[in-house]
Amino acid sequence: MTTEKSETTVDAEELRGRVRELLEKHDPETTDRLEHLRARFDEGLAWVHFPTGLGGLDAPRSLQSVVDAELAAGGAPDNDPRRIGIGLGMAAPTILRFGTEEQRRRFLRPLWTGEEVWCQLFSEPGAGSDLAALATRAVRSGDDWVVDGQKVWTSSAHTARWAILVTRTDPDVPKHQGMTYFVCDMTAPGVEVRPLRQITGEAEFNEVFLTGVRIPDAHRLGEVGEGWRVAQTTLMNERVAIGGNATPREGGMVGVVARTWRERPELRTPELHDRLLRLWVEAEATRLAGSRLRQQLAVGSPGPEGSAMKLAFARGNQELSGLELELLGEEGLHYDDWTLRRPDIVDFTGRGPGYRYLRAKGNSIEGGTSEILRNIIAERVLGLPSEPRVDKDVAWKDLPR
């Protein structure tokens, strides 16, 4: 189901007035944090471009920055977006586009306030880069679907209440045609979450086993067999969420390395200086390209261009974290803590250089591998010929595995 936006007369000044009224009714100093967030959602100030009644006002997306600035100046709490990024950046736009009215009203408010954390059940041990080859099976049983399979590399599964899930519902058709998309209750019987310890020592990722999990048909997003189409909306938004966030000049990793360079002149060499200058320019070009992408989003939906932003983000993080280690020398080899933990967020700037270097290795895998993103850019942005694919018309059950 798609959403048609109605004409709106809301402008920046009216939004500022709405924020002032919200702050007067719900003073951040005396109002419970969750109560304040719920009130903000109900007033349409959560994401102003969403429909009225669903956290928005049918206003241009570009006006969200006006609301956010006014609320920040008024001392209003935020919804801890790093902790609920999968819900905000991936689940919400998918539910808005394909969900029923009942689904939207059930899921969007607690998603935005952070009362319910979301995760993403897409990748599988045998279908990581090739998502359409997934094998997790959903079989219709009355008003429910019974799901069996395994998912992997699932961020936040250990804290999630809900998951966006893609399954195989028809093995007799080509792989892109036999998929169906669901909302899965992570507390349902048959859902098992196991930690995956990473090179950092932590386990922010998980593997998820689904054994006889019953999902009501009312939790299906999109039509049966249209899971690939629904998933594309999720993936396009995911790549923008990972690589297209608004950052100030010298935000993120480039700021960390530049600050070390300025504060520690004894570490400098001409070769490192040349590399830092090149990476600084690339980071600034990426930041400005991200600003342009967000302007395009203000008048439309994410397209394949978001893949370029995510690709640049991954490459930049890895090169900058490597440069930081070389700059620090022996000091950079120290590691803060190898304790097995299951964190809620990824904190690049709040940890040491060793953590940043190791964790950045995952940036070229999560949210779509860099190899897959290069294919998307080549075919869907640059218009180059696609790679030969011999399995497009072969039934999934007949594919070699």
Side-chain angles (χ1 to χ4, degrees), residues 90-92 94-96 98-100 103-104 106-108 111 116-122 145 147 161-167 180-188 191 210 213-222 230 234:
M90 302 164 217
T94 308
I95 292 169
L96 180 65
F98 292 98
T100 64
Q103 289 169 338
R104 295 171 183 170
R106 165 60 187 86
F107 294 121
L108 290 178
L111 180 158
E116 295 178 343
V117 176
W118 287 68
C119 67
Q120 178 185 18
L121 299 177
F122 277 31
W145 294 79
V147 180
R161 173 65 175 81
W162 298 100
I164 43 179
L165 166 68
V166 185
T167 67
T180 303
Y181 197 117
F182 296 97
V183 171
C184 176
D185 183 350
M186 291 296 289
T187 67
V191 177
L210 305 163
V213 179
R214 300 190 74 88
I215 299 178
D217 188 59
H219 283 182
R220 172 171 46 84
L221 289 180
V230 182
T234 304

Side-chain angles (χ1 to χ4, degrees), residues 111-350:
L111 180 158
W112 188 87
T113 61
E115 295 170 75
E116 295 178 343
V117 176
W118 287 68
C119 67
Q120 178 185 18
L121 299 177
F122 277 31
S123 294
E124 298 184 6
S129 297
D130 185 9
L131 175 62
L134 63 84
T136 293
R137 188 77 187 274
V139 178
R140 189 69 183 258
S141 175
D143 293 332
D144 296 338
W145 294 79
V146 179
V147 180
D148 292 276
Q150 180 186 356
K151 299 291 182 174
V152 76
W153 312 125
T154 309
S155 301
S156 301
H158 56 291
T159 61
R161 173 65 175 81
W162 298 100
I164 43 179
L165 166 68
V166 185
T167 67
R168 174 79 45 202
T169 49
D170 188 351
D172 297 321
V173 297
K175 59 184 181 180
H176 291 87
Q177 299 174 24
M179 301 161 62
T180 303
Y181 197 117
F182 296 97
V183 171
C184 176
D185 183 350
M186 291 296 289
T187 67
V191 177
E192 181 185 0
V193 179
R194 300 179 188 173
L196 282 176
R197 193 170 193 185
Q198 297 150 236
I199 194 174
T200 61
E202 298 182 339
E204 78 197 51
F205 293 145
N206 305 271
E207 54 184 345
V208 179
F209 294 84
L210 305 163
T211 307
V213 179
R214 300 190 74 88
I215 299 178
D217 188 59
H219 283 182
R220 172 171 46 84
L221 289 180
E223 299 299 322
V224 175
E226 288 195 355
W228 179 253
R229 175 169 168 254
V230 182
Q232 289 308 297
T233 293
T234 304
L235 294 172
M236 293 301 103
N237 281 280
E238 176 184 29
R239 286 152 193 170
V240 172
I242 293 176
N245 289 325
T247 56
R249 176 173 288 186
E250 290 198 2
M253 272 300 304
V254 71
V256 173
V257 181
R259 184 165 56 252
T260 301
W261 178 270
R262 294 187 181 105
E263 295 174 353
R264 304 283 300 277
E266 75 278 7
L267 302 175
R268 301 172 187 169
T269 69
E271 189 270 338
L272 291 174
H273 185 234
D274 288 345
R275 287 171 60 188
L276 178 57
L277 284 177
R278 176 179 62 83
L279 291 172
W280 192 97
V281 171
E282 290 183 4
E284 182 64 6
T286 300
R287 185 182 73 84
L288 295 173
S291 178
R292 180 182 180 188
L293 177 63
R294 289 189 297 278
Q295 292 172 0
Q296 293 173 330
L297 284 176
V299 295
S301 299
E305 296 82 4
S307 296
M309 291 302 305
K310 196 273 175 178
L311 178 64
F313 164 80
R315 185 178 63 187
N317 255 17
Q318 290 175 351
E319 291 196 38
L320 283 162
S321 62
L323 176 60
E324 182 185 26
L325 278 195
E326 292 191 47
L327 178 63
L328 291 170
E330 293 182 3
E331 183 183 335
L333 298 179
H334 297 163
Y335 199 74
D336 53 359
D337 188 2
W338 287 99
T339 304
L340 174 60
R341 294 178 294 181
R342 306 183 78 180
D344 295 342
I345 62 172
V346 177
D347 186 10
F348 267 99
T349 56

Side-chain angles (χ1 to χ4, degrees), residues 20-147:
R20 287 193 293 270
E21 291 179 9
L22 173 69
L23 294 175
E24 289 174 3
K25 294 179 182 177
H26 305 274
D27 185 346
E29 293 188 1
T30 58
T31 304
D32 175 75
R33 175 181 178 275
L34 183 55
E35 180 184 342
H36 194 283
L37 292 173
R38 288 171 174 170
R40 177 177 169 182
F41 184 94
D42 295 340
E43 291 296 328
L45 300 173
W47 31 43
V48 297
H49 60 289
F50 270 43
T52 300
L54 296 175
L57 296 166
D58 289 300
R61 185 192 294 256
S62 57
L63 292 179
Q64 186 66 52
S65 60
V66 174
V67 171
D68 293 343
E70 290 290 318
L71 286 167
D78 66 23
N79 57 353
D80 198 3
R82 290 195 301 171
R83 185 177 68 89
I84 59 174
I86 293 174
L88 295 175
M90 302 164 217
T94 308
I95 292 169
L96 180 65
R97 181 171 179 184
F98 292 98
T100 64
E101 190 63 22
E102 181 180 356
Q103 289 169 338
R104 295 171 183 170
R105 294 194 178 279
R106 165 60 187 86
F107 294 121
L108 290 178
R109 188 177 188 247
L111 180 158
W112 188 87
T113 61
E115 295 170 75
E116 295 178 343
V117 176
W118 287 68
C119 67
Q120 178 185 18
L121 299 177
F122 277 31
S123 294
E124 298 184 6
S129 297
D130 185 9
L131 175 62
L134 63 84
T136 293
R137 188 77 187 274
V139 178
R140 189 69 183 258
S141 175
D143 293 332
D144 296 338
W145 294 79
V146 179
V147 180

